Amino acid sequence: MVKEKLLSLVAALSVCLAMDAAVPVYQDETKPIEQRVEDALSRMTLREKINIIHAQSKFSSPGVPRLGIPEIWTTDGPHGIRPEVMWDEWDQAKWTNDSCVAFPALTGLAATWNPEMAYLYGKSLGEEARFREKDVVLGPGVNIYRTPLNGRNFEYMGEDPYLASKLVVPYIKGVQSNGVATCVKHYALNNQETRRHNTNVVVDDRALYEIYLPPFRAAVQEGDTWSIMGAYDLYKSEHACHNQYLNRILRDEWGFKGAVISDWGGTHDTPQAIANGLDLEFGTWTDGLKSGAVSAYDTYYLALPYLKMIEDGKVGTKELDDKVRNVLRLTFLTAMNRNKPYGALHSDEHYAAAKKIGEEAIVLLKNDGNVLPLKLDGKKKVLVVGENAIKMMTVGGGSSSLKVQREVSPLDGLKARLAGVAEVDYARGYVGDVTGEYNGVVTGQDLTDSRSADELVAEAVEKAKTADYVIFVGGLNKSTGQDCEDSDRAGLELPYGQDRVIEALAEVNDNVIYVNVSGNAVAMPWIEKVPAVLQVWFLGSEAGNSIASILTGDANPSAKLPFTFPVALKDVPAHKFGESSYPGIKRQDSDIWDVTYDEGIFVGYRWYDKEKVKTLFPFGHGLSYTTFEYGKASVDKAEMTADGEITVSIPVKNTGARSGAEVVQLYVRDKKSSLPRPYKELKGFCKVELQPGETKTVTFAIDKEALSFFDVDKHEWVAEPGDFEAIVAASAEDVKSVVKFKLVD
C-alpha cells in the first residue's frame, strides 16, 4: 500500500514537472521581463498586436485571450478610485461596492512638503486600486501651476518643478508597490483648461526643460513610472499624445521604456500616432455597442486604420512591435503579476492616512493675535458660516470625481470635536451651487435655499454678534468655472458674493476665521479685517476631521504653500502680456489657438522676485502654533568642483511652548550668469519636527545639478563656474540666512 502511494506521488510529481517544463516563457515569472515580452510578442498574430494597443471599452484594453494575456483595466485618480461606469458610457454602472476613500487633492499633498506623506498617499491609493482589480491609476498630475485660473490646478502639485519632482517619486513608488501602475499626466504643457483640445503652446526650450518637464523626468528616471499619459494640447503644432518632439525627449533623452497612454480622446492622427510613440489609445470614440456591425473601437486611429496601412504596404511593423512590447511590459508588471499584494478598501488605515495627510496639508496663512487654536476654556459659542461647510466636495470637478463611502464635512467635523465643550451653530451665509451630481453619482444633499442674499447675510451677522468665534468656510467648489476640469475660472475673486458676507461678519465680530476650500489662489480684499486664515484644499473623506484637528490645536499646522497667492490677477506673469499669453490668440482660418509663454522661466516666485511684486502670501509660506528660530547657515567648504558637492548646515530651534514641524527651504542663487537666471530657485527642503526648546541641525547637499541651467544651444545642462549663494528660508520671502560658495573648474 505504501509502495503504491509512493509510485502515485512520483507519477504526479512527474506530471507536474512536465507541466512546468511546458509553461511558456512569457508566463514564467522567474524569467527576465524582457525575455517574457519577446516570447509573447513572437506568438502574437498581426491582428492581436493591433487589438492590444487600443481600448475595448471606456476604461479597458483587451489583452490576448488566446494566449491567456489578460485585459488591462485603468481607473481615474489621482486622489481616489473612480466608481465603475458603463462599458461604453460615462454613466454609472450602478454597482453598490465601488465606493472609495478619498484622499486630499494633490495641491494638498504638495502643501505637506513631506515625501513620507507622498509615499503613504500612493501606497494607500494603490491598495484601494488593487482591491478593485485595477491595473493602472490615471495619475498623479504634475503639470505646473502657471495661472490661478486653471480649473485643474487642484489635481497638480504647485508652481515649482523641484517640489513637484520630489513628491511625485514617492507617490509613484507607493502606488506601484501594489502591482498597480501610475500613469503620470498630462505630458506635457497642459497648463490651462480653456480650449484644451486645440491650444498650441509656444514655449522656449529653456522654460520647457527648466520649468515644465522636470517632474515628468523625475517620474521616469527616479520614480520608474510604468506609464505616462499624453496631454490634450499641442506643442509645435502637433498634439501632445503623439508629438515627435516630446516623444524624443521621453524615449531618447530619458530612456522611458513604459507605455504612453493617450488621454481620452487625445488621439487625432494615425500616421503621427504610429511614428511618435503612442502605445495605447483610449477614448477616441466609445459608442461601440451602438455603431452597427463593426465595433467603434475598431475604428480607432491605432486600430483598423493602422492595420490597413500595414496591409497596403504604407508602413511596416517595427513601430507596432515596439508599441506591443511596451503594453506587454505594462501587463506583466500589473495584470499578470501573481505576486502583488491583495490590497484593501475602506480600511481604518486608509481613513487614518487621509486624516493625517489632511492635517499636514492645511496651511495656516495668518494668525494675528493667536486667535487659533480655538480657546476652549468655558462654554464657547462657535458660529460656522458658509456653504462649503456643508457641501460635499468629493463629487464633481471632472474625471477625479468620486463616490465615497463617507465624507465628513467641516461642520460635522467641528460638531463632533466640540461636542460637550462648545456650542456650535450654523448659518448659510450665501448660496452657491446647490447641485450634487456628477456622472450619475448623487450626493443626496438638498442645498436649495429660497432666501435672498440679504436675508442670508442678515441671519449670519445677527448670530455672529453673540459668538465667541466665527468660522467662515468658503472658497471655491468643483463646479464648472471653478476648480473643475474642462473649464477655467473667470477671475481671481471669490464667487457667490462671499466677500460681502466676510466683510459683514468682520464688522460685528473680532474673531472671524476664514477657512478657504480650494485648489487655487483667491483674492482676499478683506484680509486686514480678518485675523486668521486657513488654506484647507479639497481634503477628501476626512476633510472635516482634519480641519477640526487644526482649528482646535489637536494637530499643529506644518504645511507650506506650493504656489504663490497674488494680490491681483494682473500680478501673475501669465496674465501680464495680454491675450497672447492667456488664454491665447486664434490663428487665422484655423481652429488652433496659440498660447505664448512670454514669461519664459519666470514662473511663480521666480517672477515675483524678478519684478519685486508684492504678494498676498508667498510660495513656501505657512505658520505654526509654535515658533522657530534659525541660526546662521554654514558650508563645509568654500569651493566645490563640478564632480563634487558642498553641504549646507543650519541649526533650527523650537522656541515655542509646543511641539511642531518646520519646513526648512534651501534656494540657490547664481550671482553672475551669462544669461538671465531667477534670483533664487528651490533646490532642497526638509521637514524637521522639534519639541519645545529642541534644536536640530538641518543639512542640505548641493551638487552640480542644483547649480545648472539648460543651455539651448548646447542642448544640455550647464553649471558655470563662479560665485553662488545658498539661501535658507522659511518661505520665498522669509530669508533666514545666506552663505556664499564658489563653483570652480
Side-chain angles (χ1 to χ4, degrees):
M1 186 70 177
V2 173
K3 181 179 178 181
E4 290 175 355
K5 285 186 176 181
L6 286 172
L7 289 172
S8 176
L9 286 171
V10 170
L13 180 61
S14 299
V15 170
C16 289
L17 290 172
M19 290 176 63
D20 284 345
V23 171
V25 171
Y26 73 91
Q27 293 183 353
D28 186 350
E29 292 190 85
T30 67
K31 295 290 192 297
I33 196 165
E34 296 305 320
Q35 187 178 342
R36 296 174 64 199
V37 166
E38 293 304 321
D39 181 62
L41 180 68
S42 69
R43 299 170 186 267
M44 294 172 65
T45 67
L46 177 61
R47 185 59 190 266
E48 286 171 339
K49 292 178 181 179
I50 289 291
N51 286 347
I52 205 174
I53 63 171
H54 65 82
Q56 66 169 355
S57 74
K58 180 66 75 175
F59 281 104
S60 71
S61 61
V64 187
R66 181 180 65 85
L67 298 178
I69 296 174
E71 304 164 323
I72 290 177
W73 279 89
T74 68
T75 179
D76 269 316
H79 47 266
I81 305 307
R82 187 172 181 158
E84 303 296 334
V85 299
M86 302 291 284
W87 187 262
D88 284 291
E89 308 293 340
W90 290 113
D91 294 337
Q92 293 298 292
K94 298 183 179 178
W95 290 18
T96 58
N97 60 347
D98 60 343
S99 61
C100 70
V101 174
F103 299 91
L106 291 187
T107 43
L109 175 61
T112 70
W113 291 61
N114 190 342
E116 291 182 5
M117 287 297 102
Y119 182 83
L120 174 64
Y121 191 123
K123 183 176 182 293
S124 303
L125 182 73
E127 287 171 352
E128 298 237 334
R130 172 67 187 95
F131 189 91
R132 290 267 303 279
E133 298 187 351
K134 304 302 181 185
D135 303 304
V136 181
V137 170
L138 304 175
V142 292
N143 295 101
I144 294 297
Y145 185 110
R146 179 175 180 255
T147 165
L149 302 190
N150 182 11
R152 215 163 180 183
N153 276 336
F154 73 97
E155 293 187 52
Y156 303 145
M157 296 189 185
E159 72 184 32
D160 185 77
Y162 182 88
L163 176 62
S165 297
K166 291 304 177 184
L167 293 178
V168 71
V169 170
Y171 179 112
I172 292 167
K173 291 184 180 295
V175 171
Q176 293 187 169
S177 69
N178 293 281
V180 176
T182 52
C183 187
V184 180
K185 61 186 186 182
H186 305 87
Y187 185 70
L189 300 166
N190 190 171
N191 306 115
Q192 66 185 62
E193 291 297 287
T194 299
R195 293 185 286 269
R196 60 181 179 165
H197 293 278
N198 52 352
T199 288
N200 178 61
V201 175
V202 182
V203 61
D204 65 79
D205 279 358
R206 191 170 167 214
L208 178 70
Y209 276 83
E210 291 190 18
I211 303 298
Y212 298 101
L213 291 185
F216 291 103
R217 180 184 177 186
V220 170
Q221 296 187 331
E222 299 175 46
D224 188 29
T225 183
W226 297 337
S227 63
I228 290 277
M229 180 187 287
Y232 283 134
D233 56 86
L234 297 90
Y235 170 63
K236 294 190 176 182
S237 299
E238 289 184 2
H239 281 94
C241 280
H242 37 69
N243 185 290
Q244 61 177 307
Y245 310 101
L246 295 176
N247 181 61
R248 191 179 303 134
I249 294 168
L250 184 65
R251 301 289 188 186
D252 299 342
E253 296 184 21
W254 299 346
F256 180 61
K257 293 185 179 299
V260 174
I261 300 176
S262 74
D263 204 342
W264 270 231
T267 311
H268 298 268
D269 182 88
T270 297
Q272 286 188 14
I274 293 170
N276 298 333
L278 181 63
D279 297 313
L280 190 50
E281 180 184 1
F282 274 96
T284 301
W285 177 39
T286 51
D287 193 18
L289 300 181
K290 302 177 183 177
S291 61
V294 178
S295 168
Y297 300 101
D298 287 335
T299 66
Y300 273 28
Y301 292 100
L302 286 181
L304 293 183
Y306 190 2
L307 179 62
K308 188 173 190 313
M309 289 184 71
I310 294 173
E311 291 173 341
D312 290 348
K314 294 180 179 178
V315 295
T317 58
K318 178 183 181 301
E319 294 89 351
L320 175 61
D321 285 350
D322 286 342
K323 296 176 192 301
V324 174
R325 286 186 180 96
N326 294 334
V327 174
L328 286 172
R329 193 177 295 113
L330 178 64
T331 305
F332 293 155
L333 289 166
T334 58
M336 285 187 73
N337 179 1
R338 298 184 183 92
N339 298 315
K340 57 191 174 185
Y342 290 111
L345 189 69
H346 305 150
S347 68
D348 291 343
E349 290 80 5
H350 291 174
Y351 281 110
K355 181 173 182 287
K356 174 62 175 172
I357 296 166
E359 289 170 353
E360 283 212 31
I362 295 172
V363 187
L364 179 60
L365 295 177
K366 182 180 179 182
N367 194 23
D368 287 357
N370 293 322
V371 171
L372 291 175
L374 301 175
K375 311 318 186 271
L376 298 176
D377 50 316
K379 193 77 170 181
K380 300 290 187 181
K381 294 179 66 175
V382 177
L383 174 65
V384 179
V385 182
E387 182 176 282
N388 281 4
I390 59 173
K391 182 178 175 64
M392 283 187 68
M393 291 295 182
T394 54
V395 175
S399 59
S400 63
S401 179
L402 300 172
K403 180 169 80 175
V404 293
Q405 185 187 45
R406 70 171 188 253
E407 177 181 345
V408 180
S409 71
L411 179 60
D412 286 343
L414 268 172
K415 281 184 173 180
R417 172 58 182 83
L418 298 181
V421 297
E423 177 186 334
V424 180
D425 197 5
Y426 175 73
R428 182 69 174 267
Y430 70 93
V431 175
D433 182 359
V434 300
T435 61
E437 184 273 336
Y438 188 87
N439 279 145
V441 176
V442 180
T443 66
Q445 291 184 299
D446 183 5
L447 297 180
T448 57
D449 197 315
S450 60
R451 290 175 292 173
S452 69
D454 289 343
E455 290 174 311
L456 291 167
V457 172
E459 178 199 36
V461 167
E462 191 60 31
K463 290 185 175 185
K465 290 177 181 177
T466 58
D468 294 297
Y469 295 100
V470 176
I471 302 172
F472 183 93
V473 186
L476 308 179
N477 54 40
K478 292 184 177 178
S479 302
T480 299
Q482 295 197 46
D483 283 318
C484 186
E485 182 181 357
D486 204 25
S487 64
D488 284 344
R489 300 165 64 194
L492 193 64
E493 64 277 357
L494 289 172
Y496 313 126
Q498 293 178 65
D499 289 337
R500 176 193 174 195
V501 186
I502 297 167
E503 294 264 8
L505 293 171
E507 287 292 324
V508 299
N509 194 296
D510 293 333
N511 290 330
V512 175
I513 300 158
Y514 175 62
V515 176
N516 189 61
V517 180
S518 77
N520 265 307
V522 300
M524 300 182 185
W526 32 260
I527 188 65
E528 298 301 327
K529 302 176 183 178
V530 174
V533 179
L534 286 176
Q535 174 64 32
V536 304
W537 320 106
F538 299 107
L539 293 182
S541 291
E542 288 290 300
N545 291 331
S546 296
I547 292 169
S549 290
I550 295 295
L551 286 170
T552 59
D554 292 344
N556 192 351
S558 62
K560 302 275 188 171
L561 287 178
F563 54 78
T564 307
F565 270 59
V567 174
L569 193 61
K570 64 180 177 58
D571 299 329
V572 179
H575 298 269
K576 196 73 176 177
F577 301 95
E579 291 186 5
S580 64
S581 184
Y582 178 89
I585 300 293
K586 190 176 186 298
R587 293 181 184 176
Q588 189 172 0
D589 302 322
S590 172
D591 63 350
I592 301 299
W593 296 68
D594 289 311
V595 175
T596 304
Y597 288 16
D598 293 293
E599 72 278 10
I601 62 171
F602 295 99
V603 176
Y605 67 88
R606 292 164 170 82
W607 174 265
Y608 298 101
D609 278 349
K610 173 177 173 285
E611 298 295 315
K612 296 180 172 56
V613 175
K614 177 181 171 57
T615 65
L616 184 63
F617 298 109
F619 172 81
H621 171 72
L623 305 175
S624 171
Y625 293 151
T626 189
T627 53
F628 301 98
E629 179 180 277
Y630 287 64
K632 183 177 175 61
S634 62
V635 292
D636 61 341
K637 52 182 176 286
E639 295 182 349
M640 65 172 280
T641 59
D643 59 352
E645 65 178 31
I646 67 167
T647 299
V648 180
S649 302
I650 188 165
V652 181
K653 181 179 182 180
N654 182 345
T655 54
R658 61 174 295 169
S659 62
E662 172 72 338
V663 177
V664 183
Q665 300 158 42
L666 174 74
Y667 298 83
V668 171
R669 179 188 178 199
D670 187 348
K671 295 198 70 176
K672 185 178 180 180
S673 174
S674 61
L675 46 80
R677 298 196 69 176
Y679 177 81
K680 64 178 182 293
E681 296 181 275
L682 184 72
K683 294 299 178 182
F685 61 88
C686 177
K687 195 165 199 174
V688 56
E689 294 199 18
L690 297 166
Q691 297 300 314
E694 183 181 12
T695 299
K696 289 182 180 178
T697 297
V698 178
T699 61
F700 300 99
I702 297 178
D703 58 12
K704 178 184 175 182
E705 183 179 351
L707 309 181
S708 299
F709 62 86
F710 187 77
D711 188 308
V712 174
D713 294 330
K714 294 180 180 179
H715 199 79
E716 63 183 31
W717 291 88
V718 172
E720 295 178 333
D723 294 330
F724 288 83
E725 289 179 344
I727 302 168
V728 180
S731 79
E733 294 181 5
D734 188 4
V735 173
K736 299 297 187 180
S737 189
V738 178
V739 61
K740 299 178 181 179
F741 65 94
K742 286 180 179 290
L743 175 65
V744 297
D745 289 324

